[in-house]
Amino acid sequence: MTWCLMTSIADRLAGPSVPGATAAPAAEPAAAACPVAPASTAAPKISFPAVGERELRLDLFRGLALWLIFIDHLPPNILTWFTIRNYGFSDATEIFIFISGYTAAFVYGRAMQDAGFIVATARILRRVWQIYVAHVFLFTIFLAEISYVATSFENPLYTEEMGIMDFLKQPDVTIVQALILRFRPVNMDVLPLYIVLMLFLPLILWLMRWRPDLTLALSVVLYAVTWEFDLYLSAYPNGFWAFNPFAWQLLFVFGAWCALGGAKRMSRILNSPITLGICVAYLVAAFFVTLTWYIPQLGHLMPRRIEQWMYPIDKTDLDVLRFAHFLALAALTVHYLPKDWPLLKSRWLRPLIVCGQHSLEIFCLGVFLAFAGHFVLAEVSGGAMMHAMISLCGILAMWGVASLISWYKREADKGAARKGVRANADLAGGG
Amino acid sequence: MKSVSWLRFGIAALAASLAVSARAEDAPQTCEVPAYLLTTESPLPKVAEAVKNGRTLDILVVGSRSSTIVSASDGNAYPARLQAALKDKLPSVTVNLSVELQPKKTAEEIAGNLVKLVEGKRPNLVIWQTGTVDAMRSIDPDEFRQAVNDGVATLQNAGADVILMNLQYSPRTETLISVPPYIDNMRVVAQQRDIPLFDRFAIMRQWNEQGDFDLFNPTHGIELAKQVHDCLGRALSKFIIDAAHLSPAQQN
C-alpha cells in the first residue's frame, strides 16, 4: 500500500531540480529513474536517481518521528496526545526504521555501484561503529542516572520494584552485557536494532542489486518464520530484545526495496482509488479501536470475537496490524503531500526537517533529554505544566542542536569542497 | 482614586483566592477514583451468591511483595484495608480474608501452585495481584499471558470468582521496567475469561496526576505507603461491591 509514497519519492529524487534550487546540478543522468524514462539504454534493474535536491519529505518525517519518539519516552503529558500512537496501531518507530532503511539503501547502494562491494561495506561498518559508540555513550549517562536513583530513593511503597536495581550489584557483568548489546534499558532499544540492521545492510544491498524482489520476498519469509517459530534474541539479565530484529528487518528491507526502485514499479497499484480507499478505511477502523483504549465506555461496542482475534497487538515482533497501519499512513501521506509541496520550503517546517537531517545525533539527544526529563520531573516537580514545559524545551533543544550541526556541516563542507571532497553520509542517517 | 480602589480590590481577590487554594491543600486526601476505573462488565456470581446465602465472604489475596508494606504491620497493607472497608460497607456480612504472599515468583510459578493455595481455604473470591515479577524479569509476554490464563482457569474450576490486579504505577522505575506489555496482556486475559480487572496502575497514576499522592517522592518514611494502601483497599471494596452487584439491601 505504501508503494505510492516511494514512487513519488523516487520521482522526486530523480526529477530535475526545482527552479531556483541552489543544490549542485545532478552529477549523473537521471534518465533511468525518471517517470518517463527514455528507453535509450537498457534499463538496469536498480536505478539510482541523481544526487541533487534532497528529498525533504524524508527529512520532514524522520524529524517528526524523532520528536514523537522523544515525547513518547517521557511520562504521559499533554503533548503525548499529539503522538500518532494514540490514533492508530503504529507509532514513530515504524517511520524511523522505514526511512532509515530507505536512506541507507539509497546512499550506500549508490556507493556500492560506484565503488564496489568492499568499499561500500567498509563505509557501512564505519557508520555502524558510530551508532555503536553513540549507544554506549547513552548507556553511560543512563547508568549514572539510575545509580543515583538507586542510592537516593527508598520509598517503602516500591520495595519490590526497586529490586530491578539489583544488577548494579554486579557492575562488571552489567557493563559487559551492555557492550555486547544484551543489556538495554527501556528507552534504549532502537539503536541496537538499528545497529543489527545496518550490519546486515551490505548483504541486503548485495542481494538487492542481484534480485530486488527476491530479496524482499526473503525478508517476508524471515518475518513469517519469526512468527511461526518464535525466533528472538535474548537479553540480559533475562527476557528478549524489545524490538525483535528478525521481525523489524521487514520494514528496513522494505524501505531499501522502495529506495532502489521498487516504489516506482508499484506506482500504478498505489495511485488507484481502490488502494487509497482501503487505506482510509483501515486507518479509520484502527482509530476507532484505539479510541476504545482511552474511552473504556466505548469498549462494549467492540465485538468480542474481533477483540480476541486482534489482541495483543505485538510491538516486539512488529504485528501485521502495525505494519499495515504504517503502510496505509505512508500511502496516504505521499498521495496527499506532493513532493513539491511549497510548505516543505517554508521556515515553519524547518525545525522538523533540520532535525530529520541529523537523525543519529538528534535521536541520541532525544534519549538523553528523556532521561533528563524524567530526572527533572522526579526531583523538581511533577505537575502537568512542568511536563508540558519539559517536552517543549526538549524539542527546542533538539531543534537548536540540529541547527548548530547544520551550520557546522555547511562550514566544513565549504572547506571540503575546496579540496574536492564530497560527502553525503548525512542523508543516510545524519552522520 | 478609582485605580487605587481597583488595585485594592484586586489584592483582596488575590488574597481570597490564595486562601481558598491554601485550604484546598490542607484538606485531607480524598484519593477519588474516576467511576470508569471502578466499573466492570464482568460479574462476580460466587461473591453475590455467598453474600446472599451464607452472609459470609471468604477472600484470598495472592500477590507478590507489593501486596504488603515492608516494615509495617499487615494491618496497613491493602488486603487488610479492603477487609476493613468491606466490613464497614457490608456490616451484616462476615468477611474473612487471608493473604498468600508469593514474593519473587512469576505468574507461571504461581499458576502451578494455585490449586494447593485454594485447596484448604475454598475462597469465594481470589484477588490475584501479578505482573510485577514478570515485568522485572522481562518474561515473554505471550508466556505470561498463557500463565495468567491458566491460573485464572484453575481458580475458576476450583469454584472461585477471580479478580486480577495489575502492577503498581512506579514512576521512578519507569526507565527500567517495561510495564505496558504486561498490563495489556492482563487486560486480554480478563476479557477472554470475563473476569474483572482492578487497574491498580491506572488508578495510582490518576492519584499522582490529581495530586493526591506524590509517587515520585523519594521519602524514606512509611506514611505515604500506608495512605496509598488504605486508598487501594477502599477502591477495591467499591470495585467488588459494584462488580458483584451487591444491592443496598444487602449492604445493610
Side-chain angles (χ1 to χ4, degrees), chain A residues 229-261:
Chain A
F229 297 102
D230 199 19
L231 306 181
Y232 61 90
L233 288 182
S234 67
Y236 172 84
N238 28 47
F240 47 87
W241 280 41
F243 292 109
N244 188 346
F246 296 120
W248 280 77
Q249 51 79 26
L250 178 62
L251 258 180
F252 191 77
V253 174
F254 179 61
W257 183 82
C258 289
L260 300 185

Side-chain angles (χ1 to χ4, degrees), chain B:
Chain B
M1 278 299 123
K2 206 170 187 184
S3 64
V4 170
S5 68
W6 272 113
L7 186 67
R8 210 174 277 167
F9 173 77
I11 291 171
L14 188 67
S17 65
L18 279 178
V20 169
S21 65
R23 214 175 304 138
E25 275 164 24
D26 291 344
Q29 280 151 348
T30 50
C31 59
E32 291 274 339
V33 179
Y36 77 88
L37 284 174
L38 290 183
T39 44
T40 171
E41 284 168 38
S42 306
L44 294 173
K46 300 279 171 15
V47 172
E49 202 184 295
V51 168
K52 203 167 138 199
N53 299 339
R55 299 248 148 223
T56 58
L57 180 56
D58 294 317
I59 301 177
L60 171 66
V61 176
V62 180
S64 59
R65 279 203 3 223
S66 65
S67 288
T68 59
I69 308 175
V70 178
S71 73
S73 81
D74 288 343
N76 293 118
Y78 78 80
R81 303 315 304 152
L82 163 69
Q83 187 181 22
L86 282 177
K87 279 181 175 163
D88 209 32
K89 286 175 185 151
L90 306 169
S92 61
V93 179
T94 314
V95 181
N96 302 316
L97 185 140
S98 52
V99 182
E100 281 289 347
L101 278 191
Q102 305 278 314
K104 299 196 172 181
K105 285 202 180 143
T106 62
E108 195 179 353
E109 288 160 345
I110 291 170
N113 229 351
L114 280 172
V115 178
K116 228 189 305 166
L117 291 182
V118 290
E119 221 168 31
K121 296 188 169 132
R122 302 237 139 255
N124 311 113
L125 171 66
V126 176
I127 298 169
W128 187 11
Q129 173 260 309
T130 188
T132 312
V133 176
D134 296 79
M136 286 168 62
R137 292 204 198 157
S138 315
I139 300 294
D140 182 342
D142 288 339
E143 281 167 24
F144 170 71
R145 185 179 69 247
Q146 196 55 47
V148 174
N149 188 57
D150 292 350
V152 171
T154 308
L155 294 171
Q156 285 177 325
N157 290 338
D161 282 338
V162 186
I163 290 179
L164 283 178
M165 182 191 287
N166 61 13
L167 295 78
Q168 295 200 93
Y169 171 61
S170 170
R172 283 280 185 163
T173 50
E174 239 172 14
T175 49
L176 285 164
I177 305 176
S178 172
V179 170
Y182 302 91
I183 291 186
D184 291 348
N185 279 295
M186 287 183 73
R187 188 169 295 136
V188 170
V189 173
Q191 263 162 7
Q192 284 176 345
R193 303 218 68 99
D194 197 16
I195 57 169
L197 172 84
F198 183 73
D199 196 345
R200 181 166 64 156
F201 184 86
I203 290 170
M204 286 178 69
R205 190 166 67 188
Q206 181 80 22
W207 287 337
N208 188 61
E209 276 167 21
Q210 282 171 176
D212 292 310
F213 298 113
D214 175 13
L215 299 179
F216 282 96
N217 199 330
T219 175
H220 295 222
I222 206 91
E223 273 317 302
L224 177 75
K226 283 184 182 172
Q227 287 169 9
V228 169
H229 274 252
D230 183 52
C231 286
L232 281 174
R234 278 190 281 149
L236 195 48
S237 74
K238 280 186 206 155
F239 187 65
I240 292 171
I241 288 172
D242 180 81
H245 300 296
L246 300 180
S247 64
Q250 287 161 326
Q251 291 186 29
N252 290 323

Side-chain angles (χ1 to χ4, degrees), chain A residues 19-351:
Chain A
T22 52
E28 285 149 65
C34 266
V36 278
S40 54
T41 54
K45 266 222 160 75
I46 298 171
S47 48
F48 291 100
V51 186
E53 198 71 0
R54 256 188 109 103
E55 168 53 79
L56 290 179
R57 281 183 304 182
L58 286 175
D59 292 334
L60 175 72
F61 284 104
R62 186 149 62 170
L64 185 68
L66 291 169
W67 285 16
L68 297 181
I69 289 174
F70 165 68
I71 292 171
D72 284 339
H73 281 175
L74 283 173
N77 66 83
I78 298 173
L79 286 181
T80 310
W81 290 105
F82 292 99
T83 64
I84 56 170
R85 70 169 175 189
N86 290 309
Y87 304 99
F89 302 142
S90 69
D91 66 23
T93 318
E94 271 91 349
I95 304 178
F96 184 77
I97 294 297
F98 174 83
I99 297 185
S100 296
Y102 189 99
T103 48
F106 182 69
V107 171
Y108 296 110
R110 167 176 289 280
M112 202 171 273
Q113 197 179 45
D114 293 349
F117 181 76
I118 305 280
V119 173
T121 305
R123 282 187 55 192
I124 292 170
L125 291 181
R126 202 189 80 176
R127 183 72 184 159
V128 170
W129 175 248
Q130 288 174 344
I131 304 170
Y132 178 75
V133 169
H135 175 74
V136 174
F137 173 64
L138 284 178
F139 176 75
T140 313
I141 295 172
F142 163 83
L143 207 57
E145 189 215 344
I146 52 137
S147 303
Y148 168 80
V149 172
T151 48
S152 66
F153 189 67
E154 253 180 73
N155 191 332
L157 189 60
Y158 295 119
T159 313
E160 180 170 22
E161 283 83 354
M162 293 304 281
I164 194 74
M165 307 286 187
D166 282 354
F167 69 84
L168 287 174
K169 290 174 188 159
Q170 289 181 301
D172 49 347
V173 180
T174 302
I175 289 173
V176 170
Q177 293 289 351
L179 288 176
I180 59 173
L181 303 181
R182 289 190 68 233
F183 175 81
R184 280 99 28 81
V186 170
N187 285 347
M188 287 177 53
D189 287 311
V190 179
L191 284 187
L193 170 68
Y194 195 19
I195 290 171
V196 171
L197 294 177
M198 286 293 282
L199 264 182
F200 283 92
L201 184 64
L203 179 68
I204 295 169
L205 283 180
W206 184 74
L207 281 172
M208 281 249 173
R209 281 163 55 81
W210 173 53
R211 292 274 161 83
D213 293 344
L214 183 70
T215 313
L216 184 63
L218 284 176
S219 166
V220 173
V221 167
L222 177 57
Y223 176 80
V225 167
T226 303
W227 274 81
E228 185 59 34
F229 297 102
D230 199 19
L231 306 181
Y232 61 90
L233 288 182
S234 67
Y236 172 84
N238 28 47
F240 47 87
W241 280 41
F243 292 109
N244 188 346
F246 296 120
W248 280 77
Q249 51 79 26
L250 178 62
L251 258 180
F252 191 77
V253 174
F254 179 61
W257 183 82
C258 289
L260 300 185
K264 221 176 103 49
R265 284 179 283 139
M266 293 300 288
S267 63
R268 194 163 303 160
I269 300 178
L270 261 193
N271 283 324
S272 88
I274 299 172
T275 313
L276 294 175
I278 292 173
C279 291
V280 170
Y282 185 73
L283 290 181
V284 170
F287 174 68
F288 174 76
V289 171
T290 348
L291 216 53
T292 64
W293 304 344
Y294 297 100
I295 310 173
Q297 291 88 333
L298 289 177
H300 66 275
L301 292 175
M302 281 283 292
R304 270 206 175 200
R305 190 158 298 176
I306 291 187
E307 273 184 346
Q308 291 185 0
W309 166 78
M310 184 172 65
Y311 293 131
I313 299 173
D314 192 7
K315 184 169 183 180
T316 295
D317 289 336
L318 183 65
D319 202 287
V320 176
L321 292 174
R322 290 181 68 109
F323 186 58
H325 189 261
F326 168 77
L327 294 185
L329 264 185
L332 290 182
T333 306
V334 156
H335 191 79
Y336 291 107
L337 204 149
K339 55 195 170 186
D340 45 9
W341 193 40
L343 265 181
L344 283 174
K345 299 245 169 209
S346 86
R347 60 198 170 96
W348 296 105
L349 291 181
R350 200 62 209 146

